[in-house]
Amino acid sequence: MTSSVFDPPPGPPRRVLCVGAAVLDTLFRVRALPAGQGKILPYEMLQIAEGMASSAAYAIARLGGAASLWGAVGKDAAGERIIADLRNSGIDTSGMLRAEGARSAIATILIDDRGERLIVPFYDERLHDTVRPVTEREVSAFDAVLVDVRWPKLALRTLIAAGKAGKPAILDGDVAGEGIIEMLAPAASHVVFSQPAAERLAGTADLVESVGLLKRKFEHAFISVTAGEHGCLWFDDRSGAIRHLAAPKVRAIDTLAAGDIFHGAFALTIAEGMPIEESMRLSSMAAALKCQVFGGRIGAPTRAEVRDALQDWNIGAVSAGEPTI
């Protein structure tokens, strides 16, 4: 087999620490999302442990990396199920917290035949009352860290420690409570925003404009926005241009966790030293392949599956001065 720019580098798998959400999801597949009150009958059902950081960690493991997860669960049956499920999926869960007096996070999710979803999550605020110290030495054992917005205090400590250790400090910039992104982003070396979060923070629905505004706001960091079927955009720090990469064309069965798979793939490839455009291409393809499989994170592809799909995807990034999105 010939080598590819998308292959992992020689040596042991790169280690990525993921910090944030761990949730027991119950997924129901339905023909259409409900428009009002009444009863709706699903034709498929699955229970699985996921969440932004958890799903990203799974993507890292599937792509050949070594993933560790720091999250919090309650001392309850749901918490034990979450940890066991993630551990059995190849994720190091030794850093998970079992929070006294808190209930584990759970969510009910409806996914329709177009791949769209309706999510009803429950997070017990007491889960994150205890925040462990994070040292530079501890984070030095990893090649990169990826944090989401669900445990802001631990995320901030982890980003700061990663910065001191000279490691990539990556923020999953999803929609969050007031002031959370503004608190975390200054400590991040890379911020990958979801489209809703970017629009909310930049105050505009124009994706190109939002990338520029966010770069000016957080000029120290690599800035990107993921926009689902519209692809992804990022600020090219070498040229000063905003780049746009169209999304691979797939038939979406389930978009749940697609953004998380993108973030996990991005974190691993940054840890591997992959150039930005290739990292964005691999991450985009991993997210697209996931969308073709029902079951949230379980659709995360292997490295070989992504590499094979990339061989047939010749599109490259273009200047986003006037994007066709």
Side-chain angles (χ1 to χ4, degrees), residues 141-160:
F142 299 95
D143 298 295
V145 303
L146 168 66
V147 307
D148 69 30
V149 295
R150 292 290 176 257
W151 198 348
K153 292 180 180 179
L154 183 60
L156 181 59
R157 291 185 181 183
T158 305
L159 291 172
I160 291 172

mmCIF file of all heavy atoms in Angstrom, residues 141-160:
data_model
loop_
_atom_site.group_PDB
_atom_site.id
_atom_site.type_symbol
_atom_site.label_atom_id
_atom_site.label_comp_id
_atom_site.label_asym_id
_atom_site.label_seq_id
_atom_site.Cartn_x
_atom_site.Cartn_y
_atom_site.Cartn_z
ATOM 1 N N ALA A 141 2.091 14.933 28.842
ATOM 2 C CA ALA A 141 2.038 13.541 28.401
ATOM 3 C C ALA A 141 1.214 13.368 27.125
ATOM 4 O O ALA A 141 1.247 12.306 26.500
ATOM 5 C CB ALA A 141 1.457 12.666 29.512
ATOM 6 N N PHE A 142 0.478 14.424 26.732
ATOM 7 C CA PHE A 142 -0.376 14.351 25.551
ATOM 8 C C PHE A 142 0.224 15.171 24.411
ATOM 9 O O PHE A 142 1.025 16.077 24.629
ATOM 10 C CB PHE A 142 -1.782 14.866 25.889
ATOM 11 C CG PHE A 142 -2.468 14.066 26.952
ATOM 12 C CD1 PHE A 142 -2.417 14.466 28.292
ATOM 13 C CD2 PHE A 142 -3.159 12.905 26.638
ATOM 14 C CE1 PHE A 142 -3.034 13.723 29.283
ATOM 15 C CE2 PHE A 142 -3.778 12.161 27.622
ATOM 16 C CZ PHE A 142 -3.725 12.564 28.944
ATOM 17 N N ASP A 143 -0.200 14.841 23.199
ATOM 18 C CA ASP A 143 0.271 15.563 22.018
ATOM 19 C C ASP A 143 -0.647 16.718 21.653
ATOM 20 O O ASP A 143 -0.272 17.577 20.845
ATOM 21 C CB ASP A 143 0.406 14.602 20.840
ATOM 22 C CG ASP A 143 1.432 13.513 21.113
ATOM 23 O OD1 ASP A 143 2.621 13.851 21.248
ATOM 24 O OD2 ASP A 143 1.055 12.328 21.225
ATOM 25 N N ALA A 144 -1.857 16.747 22.200
ATOM 26 C CA ALA A 144 -2.812 17.840 21.999
ATOM 27 C C ALA A 144 -3.939 17.664 22.996
ATOM 28 O O ALA A 144 -4.165 16.564 23.520
ATOM 29 C CB ALA A 144 -3.370 17.840 20.575
ATOM 30 N N VAL A 145 -4.656 18.750 23.266
ATOM 31 C CA VAL A 145 -5.871 18.663 24.083
ATOM 32 C C VAL A 145 -7.022 19.276 23.291
ATOM 33 O O VAL A 145 -6.837 20.199 22.492
ATOM 34 C CB VAL A 145 -5.734 19.373 25.447
ATOM 35 C CG1 VAL A 145 -4.555 18.807 26.241
ATOM 36 C CG2 VAL A 145 -5.604 20.877 25.278
ATOM 37 N N LEU A 146 -8.206 18.730 23.513
ATOM 38 C CA LEU A 146 -9.435 19.221 22.897
ATOM 39 C C LEU A 146 -10.474 19.368 23.996
ATOM 40 O O LEU A 146 -10.761 18.397 24.701
ATOM 41 C CB LEU A 146 -9.936 18.232 21.836
ATOM 42 C CG LEU A 146 -11.353 18.455 21.300
ATOM 43 C CD1 LEU A 146 -11.441 19.767 20.519
ATOM 44 C CD2 LEU A 146 -11.782 17.280 20.426
ATOM 45 N N VAL A 147 -11.029 20.552 24.142
ATOM 46 C CA VAL A 147 -12.036 20.771 25.179
ATOM 47 C C VAL A 147 -13.328 21.254 24.540
ATOM 48 O O VAL A 147 -13.313 21.946 23.512
ATOM 49 C CB VAL A 147 -11.568 21.795 26.241
ATOM 50 C CG1 VAL A 147 -10.209 21.402 26.807
ATOM 51 C CG2 VAL A 147 -11.518 23.212 25.674
ATOM 52 N N ASP A 148 -14.467 20.867 25.145
ATOM 53 C CA ASP A 148 -15.737 21.440 24.716
ATOM 54 C C ASP A 148 -16.198 22.457 25.754
ATOM 55 O O ASP A 148 -15.444 22.806 26.670
ATOM 56 C CB ASP A 148 -16.779 20.349 24.407
ATOM 57 C CG ASP A 148 -17.266 19.575 25.641
ATOM 58 O OD1 ASP A 148 -17.293 20.149 26.753
ATOM 59 O OD2 ASP A 148 -17.666 18.392 25.493
ATOM 60 N N VAL A 149 -17.437 22.921 25.627
ATOM 61 C CA VAL A 149 -17.906 24.027 26.462
ATOM 62 C C VAL A 149 -18.755 23.572 27.643
ATOM 63 O O VAL A 149 -19.310 24.411 28.365
ATOM 64 C CB VAL A 149 -18.714 25.033 25.609
ATOM 65 C CG1 VAL A 149 -17.817 25.690 24.570
ATOM 66 C CG2 VAL A 149 -19.908 24.340 24.925
ATOM 67 N N ARG A 150 -18.881 22.257 27.864
ATOM 68 C CA ARG A 150 -19.788 21.751 28.890
ATOM 69 C C ARG A 150 -19.218 21.803 30.301
ATOM 70 O O ARG A 150 -19.960 21.745 31.272
ATOM 71 C CB ARG A 150 -20.218 20.323 28.542
ATOM 72 C CG ARG A 150 -21.104 20.232 27.324
ATOM 73 C CD ARG A 150 -22.477 20.828 27.599
ATOM 74 N NE ARG A 150 -23.299 20.821 26.407
ATOM 75 C CZ ARG A 150 -23.555 21.873 25.654
ATOM 76 N NH1 ARG A 150 -23.031 23.045 25.980
ATOM 77 N NH2 ARG A 150 -24.314 21.787 24.575
ATOM 78 N N TRP A 151 -17.895 21.843 30.451
ATOM 79 C CA TRP A 151 -17.263 21.928 31.774
ATOM 80 C C TRP A 151 -16.252 23.065 31.718
ATOM 81 O O TRP A 151 -15.050 22.836 31.693
ATOM 82 C CB TRP A 151 -16.593 20.601 32.124
ATOM 83 C CG TRP A 151 -16.284 20.416 33.580
ATOM 84 C CD1 TRP A 151 -16.321 21.358 34.571
ATOM 85 C CD2 TRP A 151 -15.873 19.191 34.208
ATOM 86 N NE1 TRP A 151 -15.960 20.805 35.781
ATOM 87 C CE2 TRP A 151 -15.680 19.482 35.592
ATOM 88 C CE3 TRP A 151 -15.644 17.912 33.746
ATOM 89 C CZ2 TRP A 151 -15.261 18.513 36.488
ATOM 90 C CZ3 TRP A 151 -15.232 16.934 34.652
ATOM 91 C CH2 TRP A 151 -15.046 17.223 36.001
ATOM 92 N N PRO A 152 -16.715 24.304 31.704
ATOM 93 C CA PRO A 152 -15.841 25.444 31.402
ATOM 94 C C PRO A 152 -14.642 25.595 32.328
ATOM 95 O O PRO A 152 -13.546 25.915 31.865
ATOM 96 C CB PRO A 152 -16.783 26.640 31.512
ATOM 97 C CG PRO A 152 -18.149 26.094 31.286
ATOM 98 C CD PRO A 152 -18.123 24.713 31.869
ATOM 99 N N LYS A 153 -14.836 25.381 33.626
ATOM 100 C CA LYS A 153 -13.729 25.609 34.554
ATOM 101 C C LYS A 153 -12.604 24.613 34.323
ATOM 102 O O LYS A 153 -11.423 24.992 34.319
ATOM 103 C CB LYS A 153 -14.230 25.540 35.996
ATOM 104 C CG LYS A 153 -15.152 26.699 36.379
ATOM 105 C CD LYS A 153 -15.615 26.588 37.824
ATOM 106 C CE LYS A 153 -16.546 27.745 38.198
ATOM 107 N NZ LYS A 153 -17.034 27.624 39.606
ATOM 108 N N LEU A 154 -12.936 23.345 34.120
ATOM 109 C CA LEU A 154 -11.899 22.350 33.846
ATOM 110 C C LEU A 154 -11.310 22.580 32.454
ATOM 111 O O LEU A 154 -10.104 22.413 32.252
ATOM 112 C CB LEU A 154 -12.468 20.936 33.956
ATOM 113 C CG LEU A 154 -11.452 19.807 33.757
ATOM 114 C CD1 LEU A 154 -10.346 19.889 34.807
ATOM 115 C CD2 LEU A 154 -12.127 18.443 33.800
ATOM 116 N N ALA A 155 -12.150 22.967 31.504
ATOM 117 C CA ALA A 155 -11.658 23.254 30.157
ATOM 118 C C ALA A 155 -10.614 24.362 30.185
ATOM 119 O O ALA A 155 -9.562 24.266 29.534
ATOM 120 C CB ALA A 155 -12.820 23.638 29.251
ATOM 121 N N LEU A 156 -10.901 25.420 30.937
ATOM 122 C CA LEU A 156 -9.962 26.545 30.998
ATOM 123 C C LEU A 156 -8.639 26.117 31.614
ATOM 124 O O LEU A 156 -7.563 26.457 31.095
ATOM 125 C CB LEU A 156 -10.583 27.684 31.807
ATOM 126 C CG LEU A 156 -9.717 28.945 31.932
ATOM 127 C CD1 LEU A 156 -9.381 29.516 30.560
ATOM 128 C CD2 LEU A 156 -10.420 29.984 32.803
ATOM 129 N N ARG A 157 -8.694 25.387 32.701
ATOM 130 C CA ARG A 157 -7.453 24.925 33.337
ATOM 131 C C ARG A 157 -6.645 24.054 32.376
ATOM 132 O O ARG A 157 -5.404 24.137 32.329
ATOM 133 C CB ARG A 157 -7.774 24.151 34.618
ATOM 134 C CG ARG A 157 -8.318 25.014 35.734
ATOM 135 C CD ARG A 157 -8.503 24.223 37.013
ATOM 136 N NE ARG A 157 -9.043 25.060 38.083
ATOM 137 C CZ ARG A 157 -9.257 24.658 39.337
ATOM 138 N NH1 ARG A 157 -8.957 23.399 39.678
ATOM 139 N NH2 ARG A 157 -9.750 25.485 40.237
ATOM 140 N N THR A 158 -7.341 23.227 31.618
ATOM 141 C CA THR A 158 -6.654 22.330 30.692
ATOM 142 C C THR A 158 -6.018 23.113 29.545
ATOM 143 O O THR A 158 -4.875 22.843 29.147
ATOM 144 C CB THR A 158 -7.626 21.283 30.139
ATOM 145 O OG1 THR A 158 -8.247 20.583 31.233
ATOM 146 C CG2 THR A 158 -6.912 20.281 29.256
ATOM 147 N N LEU A 159 -6.732 24.082 28.994
ATOM 148 C CA LEU A 159 -6.181 24.896 27.918
ATOM 149 C C LEU A 159 -4.948 25.669 28.381
ATOM 150 O O LEU A 159 -3.937 25.748 27.670
ATOM 151 C CB LEU A 159 -7.238 25.865 27.404
ATOM 152 C CG LEU A 159 -8.425 25.273 26.640
ATOM 153 C CD1 LEU A 159 -9.466 26.354 26.369
ATOM 154 C CD2 LEU A 159 -7.982 24.626 25.343
ATOM 155 N N ILE A 160 -5.034 26.237 29.570
ATOM 156 C CA ILE A 160 -3.902 27.008 30.101
ATOM 157 C C ILE A 160 -2.691 26.110 30.293
ATOM 158 O O ILE A 160 -1.560 26.463 29.914
ATOM 159 C CB ILE A 160 -4.301 27.705 31.416
ATOM 160 C CG1 ILE A 160 -5.312 28.827 31.143
ATOM 161 C CG2 ILE A 160 -3.061 28.268 32.117
ATOM 162 C CD1 ILE A 160 -5.902 29.439 32.393
#
